[in-house]
Amino acid sequence: MDDDVSVDFGEDGLVPAVAQDADTGEVLMLAYVSPAALERTRETGRAHYYSRSRDELWEKGGTSGHVQTVAEIRVDCDADTLLYLVDQEGGACHTGHRSCFHRTIEGENVGEQVFDPDAVYE
């Protein structure tokens, strides 16, 4: 059996993590992960991240119910970025879209809105 990869959390103690749909390959979101968030993700099988704005650990879907069940965690070649392969319940984006990457740089909406954020985040 291989040994765990030592993730380089850098000076700020965080690494970016891309959440990707395990079945379709669709990129859903990017967030940051602390050592504690990675540990909780591995313990529970549900995606946990670190909120830089709120300065706290959070579970994806804790408020909305749109959890991410993690099928696999991958580490890039420099061990400073994570890839969460997930099964996404509902939408990944707080705007109600399936993916946070629902707009082109020209402002065209190319993504699917799957829930009403006003109803979820009252």
Side-chain angles (χ1 to χ4, degrees), residues 72-109:
E72 185 175 23
I73 301 172
R74 295 187 186 177
V75 184
D76 80 334
C77 57
D78 295 323
D80 63 0
T81 304
L82 300 175
L83 176 65
Y84 284 1
L85 298 175
V86 303
D87 294 316
Q88 175 71 54
E89 293 290 325
C93 186
H94 72 280
T95 65
H97 289 83
R98 171 131 175 94
S99 168
C100 291
F101 298 96
H102 62 271
R103 297 179 292 183
T104 67
I105 195 72
E106 291 83 16
E108 180 185 358
N109 188 348

Side-chain angles (χ1 to χ4, degrees), residues 1-114:
M1 184 173 161
D2 294 336
D3 293 326
D4 281 358
V5 173
S6 180
V7 176
D8 180 1
F9 287 94
E11 290 181 21
D12 65 356
L14 300 173
V15 294
V18 175
Q20 181 180 34
D21 187 289
D23 293 328
T24 68
E26 179 181 21
V27 175
L28 300 172
M29 59 179 275
L30 179 135
Y32 290 86
V33 172
S34 64
L38 179 57
E39 183 178 333
R40 288 289 295 146
T41 298
R42 293 182 77 183
E43 286 173 357
T44 65
R46 293 185 311 275
H48 287 73
Y49 300 100
Y50 188 83
S51 171
R52 296 178 301 169
S53 61
R54 294 189 313 265
D55 195 25
E56 67 183 16
L57 182 75
W58 60 283
E59 179 182 347
K60 178 64 181 156
T63 301
S64 66
H66 300 159
V67 298
Q68 292 175 342
T69 303
V70 179
E72 185 175 23
I73 301 172
R74 295 187 186 177
V75 184
D76 80 334
C77 57
D78 295 323
D80 63 0
T81 304
L82 300 175
L83 176 65
Y84 284 1
L85 298 175
V86 303
D87 294 316
Q88 175 71 54
E89 293 290 325
C93 186
H94 72 280
T95 65
H97 289 83
R98 171 131 175 94
S99 168
C100 291
F101 298 96
H102 62 271
R103 297 179 292 183
T104 67
I105 195 72
E106 291 83 16
E108 180 185 358
N109 188 348
V110 294
E112 176 187 10
Q113 190 165 28
V114 294

